[in-house]
């Protein structure tokens, strides 16, 4: 659907603003209907309504609303047909640049799809998108979500040193966002979980490899030592 053309006459008494409000109302109705469709298990109906709402929002220049509706379509379809859902996700590029919030949501959802499809390298790229978006808006929780998922993907790829480094770098960044104590409190359980999953010896080697890669003080990994 193209942009609204205010040279085309509408019903008598309508203005361009009337038409835009009407389109927005229709899109909101479609979103409500889509959610109702999901509640009764009508995945295809929900997907189509989300996409129609996205088209209406896009035609009115409401790129944020359009992206949210399209992401809802992707999420609705994810468990039903992940390959098609991924195609819809990739189609988000036509909407244009995302805000930080939108990029974070887009990246996290895209990474879930990639992992479901066994495409781990693609998942890491999408998690980087989420991480950058979260940093742009200083969303510490979403940032940590992206970092922890990336560490998990590295474990799946047999890359323990990279998994450790993701968490260590995440800690260093979170210090700037939420302070040293909160950052350590959030990251330490993830480090302990990583150690339990890898085993003590593999974890120790991963930490040593990561430490060797860091150049010069201060080394943020040092502050995570404690029981690790």
């Amino acid at each position: 659907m193209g942009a609204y053309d205010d040279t085309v006459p509408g019903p008598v008494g309508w203005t361009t603003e009337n038409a835009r409000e009407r389109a927005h109302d229709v899109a909101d109705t479609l979103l409500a209907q889509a959610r109702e469709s999901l509640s009764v298990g009508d995945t295809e109906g929900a997907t189509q309504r989300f996409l129609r709402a996205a088209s209406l929002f896009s035609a009115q220049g409401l790129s944020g609303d359009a992206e949210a509706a399209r992401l809802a379509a992707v999420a609705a379809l994810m468990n039903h047909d992940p390959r098609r859902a991924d195609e819809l996700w990739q189609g988000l590029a036509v909407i244009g640049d995302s805000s930080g919030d939108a990029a974070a949501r887009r990246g996290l959802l895209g990474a879930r799809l990639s992992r479901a499809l066994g495409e781990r390298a693609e998942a890491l790229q999408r998690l980087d998108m989420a991480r950058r978006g979260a940093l742009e808006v200083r969303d510490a929780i979403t940032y940590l979500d992206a970092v922890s998922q990336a560490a998990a993907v590295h474990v799946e790829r047999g890359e323990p040193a990279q998994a450790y480094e993701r968490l260590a770098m995440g800690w260093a960044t979170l210090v700037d966002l939420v302070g040293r104590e909160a950052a350590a409190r959030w990251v330490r359980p993830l480090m302990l979980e990583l150690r339990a999953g890898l085993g003590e010896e593999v974890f120790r080697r991963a930490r040593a490899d990561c430490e060797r890669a860091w150049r010069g003080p201060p080394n943020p990994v040092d502050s995570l030592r404690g029981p690790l």
Side-chain angles (χ1 to χ4, degrees):
M1 182 180 294
Y4 178 77
D5 184 355
D6 60 10
T7 66
V8 178
V12 175
W14 273 33
T15 65
T16 300
E17 190 60 33
N18 291 147
R20 288 173 177 159
E21 290 177 0
R22 173 65 174 165
H24 198 292
D25 289 344
V26 172
D28 284 342
T29 299
L30 285 167
L31 293 179
Q33 291 174 342
R35 288 187 284 268
E36 290 176 5
S37 295
L38 279 180
S39 71
V40 297
D42 182 8
T43 301
E44 185 61 31
T47 300
Q48 292 305 317
R49 289 180 174 91
F50 281 132
L51 292 176
R52 287 168 60 195
S55 294
L56 284 172
F57 284 134
S58 183
Q60 302 305 315
L62 302 171
S63 59
D65 290 330
E67 174 155 354
R70 194 172 182 91
L71 283 176
V74 172
L77 199 57
M78 182 183 300
N79 294 327
H80 179 71
D81 188 345
R83 184 63 65 184
R84 183 176 162 214
D86 195 61
E87 292 172 358
L88 289 179
W89 186 91
Q90 294 183 46
L92 283 164
V94 303
I95 294 178
D97 294 336
S98 293
S99 65
D101 281 332
R105 291 193 300 271
R106 182 190 294 194
L108 287 176
L109 184 59
R112 285 175 57 198
L113 273 169
S114 293
R115 293 179 73 182
L117 293 167
E119 298 170 353
R120 296 188 178 97
E122 186 72 26
L124 288 173
Q125 293 178 13
R126 294 176 180 185
L127 287 168
D128 281 341
M129 173 195 298
R131 179 182 53 79
R132 291 192 299 269
L135 281 177
E136 181 181 324
V137 295
R138 300 184 67 81
D139 182 343
I141 293 175
T142 299
Y143 173 81
L144 183 61
D145 189 4
V147 167
S148 63
Q149 286 195 49
V153 173
H154 281 300
V155 171
E156 292 169 2
R157 283 162 56 98
E159 299 168 342
Q162 289 90 330
Y164 183 94
E165 184 177 21
R166 286 277 185 170
L167 294 182
M169 291 291 292
W171 176 86
T173 301
L174 284 168
V175 167
D176 292 333
L177 294 179
V178 299
R180 186 174 299 274
E181 290 185 7
R185 187 167 62 251
W186 289 5
V187 175
R188 192 177 298 278
L190 298 175
M191 280 289 195
L192 291 170
E193 181 180 354
L194 179 64
R195 184 174 70 177
L198 294 177
E200 184 66 39
E201 181 60 25
V202 175
F203 180 85
R204 184 189 63 76
R205 289 199 304 268
R207 183 176 64 188
D209 289 345
C210 181
E211 289 176 341
R212 280 194 296 270
W214 289 73
R215 300 301 182 192
N219 184 341
V221 179
D222 289 341
S223 298
L224 280 170
R225 282 185 179 276
L228 304 179

